[in-house]
Amino acid sequence: MRSGERLTGEEDLRIPRRRKRKVDRGKPGWTDNMARRALKIVSWTSMALASSGFYLYSNKYLDPNDFGAVRIGRAVATTAVISYDYLTSLRSVPYGSEEYVQLKSKIQDLFQSFEDTPLGAASLAQVHKAVLYDGRTVAVKVQHPKVQAQSSKDILLMEVLVGAVKQLFPEFEFMWLVDEAKKNLPLELDFLNEGRNAEKVAEMLKRFEFLKVPRIYWELSTRRVLLMEFVEGGQVNDKVYMEKNQIDVNKISQQLGKMYSEMIFVNGFVHCDPHPGNVLVRKCPETGKVEIILLDHGLYQILTDEFRLDYCHLWQALIKADMKHVKKYSQQLGAGELYPLFACMLTARSWDSVNKGIGQAPVTDNEDVEIRNNAATYLPEISQLLNQVPRQMLLILKTNDLLRSIETSLSTRASASSFLNMSRCCTRALAAHKREQTCSLLKRTQISLGESLSLWQINLHELFLRMRGSWLGNWVFALFYWLSPTPH
């Protein structure tokens, strides 16, 4: 797809143009209009920020520096936060009471050492390394003070600003951002929920020996403080670290793809924040085997069976370049007539590549430039699409983008193996669903045989690709070519 062109030449696949108004971007007046509207946005934003600043300053219970704690995390977390949380949130002990003094003395004896400088800091919390008196080295995740109280004000401000943008640019639909923040932020602020998610995903993916989820120490954790096993490693996008430690980037990319395909297509329980700081790699000190360490389990998306199965069908269609079913299942997932754009967003490929088959050729630099240019061209349509797809899809899109950025850093993006892993998971998920829908032993057996045949075909295809990519495979193919009869 070239910049400025539609996604396809076929009439029924075209993205509908904007209905609100027609804009000639080639005329000088268009730039002036955009400049005036941009000035309005700046004015509205300034007024909102000024108003919120005045409110915070005038409120005797708030410090002006508290504003934006959710996003920039200015508050400093120390052992005092841990003590306070144990004494008030966990124990509900009145401040200054005899029991308070007794518990405080116990808490002071909790850590043999505690590093005040955090290992990592984010908008909601920061993590410190500590050693317990029993010798265990732990990671202590401490929520920034006042984040709980400040979060509702930040969401309110976000709602005001998004509403202002909506008034100025009616074609842009961003209210879903506010809805998602309202739903997800309370979950992320509850560290006990994060601990439960960590244990659930560890049990769910226990068959993957390469996956390491740090153990949670429940007896020392609260809603605002989470103690877990301390595990070190390099970030998953750090090629220098991997080369230094002799870790195969292609294997890591394959394992990451297996892990997330299993979450999305088979289990419908998806870790939605796989940025490099939350995904580490290392060689296990005890076994020497390479491990992927998954951190920060505060945000998960639970997929309904209907959504998950439609998504399985859609990816199977995308991998096979079955455009009839790409259209069908994209529309069932809420894309409507914008399904060509939806397919491009899911795969980060051009419409031409989607039509040819996304596994047929790797992404080129020219295609990347083309995609970036069209992202700007179709911004209103993208906004409309994000507003109409199921809310479950929003975090899936975010997860896809983060995984894709890791693959780009490792130079393993859109490899054939990643699509084969997805095909396996889709095949297994759809076969499991069919077996659940029938009581006939004969039909179940037929479904299982069909599943085994499909998986066998995928394995055979993967073996073929591996042989073709090896020096032995190249030699064998060259020999067959040399021995084949030359046409006259």
Side-chain angles (χ1 to χ4, degrees):
M1 175 173 72
R2 295 182 177 84
S3 180
E5 292 184 353
R6 297 183 187 271
L7 289 178
T8 177
E10 297 176 20
E11 186 63 30
D12 63 329
L13 298 182
R14 293 180 181 178
I15 290 182
R17 310 310 295 166
R18 293 158 219 170
R19 301 186 183 90
K20 299 275 184 181
R21 56 179 173 273
K22 294 183 179 179
V23 178
D24 186 353
R25 301 190 181 190
K27 294 182 180 179
W30 182 81
T31 305
D32 296 338
N33 289 335
M34 288 301 295
R36 284 195 291 271
R37 295 169 79 185
L39 183 60
K40 287 182 180 179
I41 285 185
V42 173
S43 301
W44 277 72
T45 305
S46 301
M47 289 174 63
L49 290 172
S51 301
S52 62
F54 175 77
Y55 168 76
L56 290 167
Y57 184 78
S58 61
N59 191 324
K60 64 181 180 179
Y61 296 106
L62 291 175
D63 187 325
N65 291 324
D66 290 339
F67 177 70
V70 169
R71 292 181 302 278
I72 57 179
R74 291 179 180 173
V76 179
T78 63
T79 51
V81 178
I82 302 173
S83 300
Y84 177 81
D85 204 58
Y86 283 142
L87 293 170
T88 58
S89 300
L90 182 64
R91 302 296 185 183
S92 299
V93 177
Y95 179 83
S97 66
E98 183 178 349
E99 189 179 359
Y100 178 97
V101 174
Q102 291 175 351
L103 284 172
K104 186 173 181 181
S105 64
K106 292 180 182 179
I107 291 168
Q108 289 172 342
D109 294 334
L110 181 62
F111 298 111
Q112 181 180 333
S113 66
F114 187 97
E115 295 183 6
D116 289 333
T117 303
L119 298 170
S123 56
L124 302 179
Q126 57 196 45
V127 179
H128 297 258
K129 183 179 179 181
V131 178
L132 302 178
Y133 275 97
D134 61 11
R136 288 178 293 177
T137 302
V138 295
V140 187
K141 184 173 182 178
V142 187
Q143 196 172 113
H144 294 314
K146 301 184 182 179
V147 162
Q148 293 273 359
Q150 187 61 39
S151 60
S152 59
K153 298 178 179 63
D154 283 343
I155 290 176
L156 177 60
L157 178 61
M158 183 193 299
E159 194 166 10
V160 170
L161 293 177
V162 169
V165 171
K166 175 65 177 173
Q167 291 297 319
L168 295 170
F169 298 95
E171 66 267 35
F172 290 99
E173 296 283 352
F174 289 119
M175 193 56 68
W176 55 268
L177 282 170
V178 179
D179 296 336
E180 287 302 295
K182 286 179 178 178
K183 182 182 75 174
N184 294 322
L185 191 55
L187 296 175
E188 292 190 83
L189 291 174
D190 182 358
F191 288 175
L192 295 179
N193 178 67
E194 178 176 342
R196 289 189 292 269
N197 286 342
E199 290 195 341
K200 181 175 179 178
V201 79
E203 175 64 22
M204 188 177 77
L205 302 181
K206 63 182 178 182
R207 74 186 189 90
F208 293 136
E209 294 182 357
F210 61 81
L211 175 62
K212 173 70 176 177
V213 177
R215 177 186 172 190
I216 305 298
Y217 297 124
W218 290 107
E219 71 277 13
L220 302 173
S221 297
T222 76
R223 289 174 60 90
R224 294 179 58 238
V225 180
L226 188 66
L227 264 73
M228 60 199 123
E229 177 185 3
F230 179 79
V231 185
E232 287 184 293
Q235 290 193 358
V236 71
N237 63 343
D238 189 344
K239 289 183 71 174
V240 175
Y241 173 88
M242 293 193 208
E243 289 170 2
K244 182 179 178 182
N245 290 273
Q246 298 180 330
I247 296 174
D248 185 353
V249 295
N250 290 301
K251 189 173 182 180
I252 289 296
S253 184
Q254 290 170 14
Q255 290 174 338
L256 198 61
K258 284 181 182 179
M259 188 170 74
Y260 270 89
S261 292
E262 191 83 11
M263 287 187 204
I264 294 170
F265 299 114
V266 178
N267 295 289
F269 185 70
V270 189
H271 179 280
C272 286
D273 201 11
H275 70 75
N278 289 339
V279 186
L280 308 181
V281 294
R282 71 165 186 176
K283 281 191 173 179
C284 178
E286 290 80 21
T287 65
K289 293 182 179 180
V290 175
E291 293 180 331
I292 293 178
I293 305 160
L294 194 60
L295 306 174
D296 197 346
H297 301 271
L299 186 58
Y300 272 75
Q301 180 64 276
I302 301 175
L303 308 180
T304 64
D305 285 344
E306 181 183 6
F307 177 94
R308 180 174 57 86
L309 295 170
D310 283 343
Y311 197 57
C312 283
H313 282 297
L314 175 57
W315 267 104
Q316 281 194 327
L318 287 167
I319 291 169
K320 296 176 181 177
D322 180 354
M323 303 316 298
K324 177 182 177 181
H325 285 96
V326 167
K327 178 178 180 179
K328 175 184 175 180
Y329 289 106
S330 293
Q331 290 183 335
Q332 286 186 198
L333 287 168
E337 292 308 310
L338 294 176
Y339 72 89
L341 177 61
F342 184 55
C344 293
M345 288 172 63
L346 277 178
T347 60
R349 302 298 299 269
S350 68
W351 183 241
D352 285 342
S353 295
V354 172
N355 274 278
K356 292 174 183 175
I358 54 177
Q360 298 303 311
V363 183
T364 63
D365 291 338
N366 289 338
E367 187 177 1
D368 264 339
V369 171
E370 180 183 327
I371 291 167
R372 284 195 296 271
N373 289 340
N374 281 292
T377 302
Y378 288 99
L379 188 58
E381 285 84 0
I382 291 172
S383 169
Q384 178 187 341
L385 184 59
L386 293 176
N387 193 55
Q388 68 189 41
V389 296
R391 301 298 90 182
Q392 300 169 83
M393 182 58 70
L394 299 177
L395 285 179
I396 293 294
L397 287 169
K398 172 193 172 186
T399 303
N400 284 350
D401 286 341
L402 288 170
L403 291 173
R404 201 170 289 122
S405 70
I406 292 171
E407 290 179 340
T408 301
S409 300
L410 299 180
S411 303
T412 59
R413 183 176 165 193
S415 63
S417 63
S418 66
F419 293 128
L420 291 173
N421 287 327
M422 293 173 72
S423 294
R424 286 190 185 95
C425 286
C426 290
T427 299
R428 288 171 46 221
L430 293 171
H433 175 70
K434 289 177 183 176
R435 280 192 293 267
E436 289 175 0
Q437 300 304 305
T438 181
C439 296
S440 169
L441 180 60
L442 176 61
K443 286 185 178 179
R444 286 184 178 180
T445 303
Q446 290 174 337
I447 292 167
S448 296
L449 288 173
E451 176 189 8
S452 298
L453 178 61
S454 296
L455 293 174
W456 181 82
Q457 289 173 334
I458 294 171
N459 292 338
L460 189 63
H461 183 57
E462 184 173 39
L463 178 62
F464 170 78
L465 292 176
R466 286 182 179 176
M467 284 192 63
R468 192 175 66 177
S470 67
W471 67 269
L472 179 60
N474 288 330
W475 184 85
V476 171
F477 283 115
L479 180 62
F480 275 119
Y481 178 78
W482 183 72
L483 292 175
S484 62
T486 306
H488 296 288

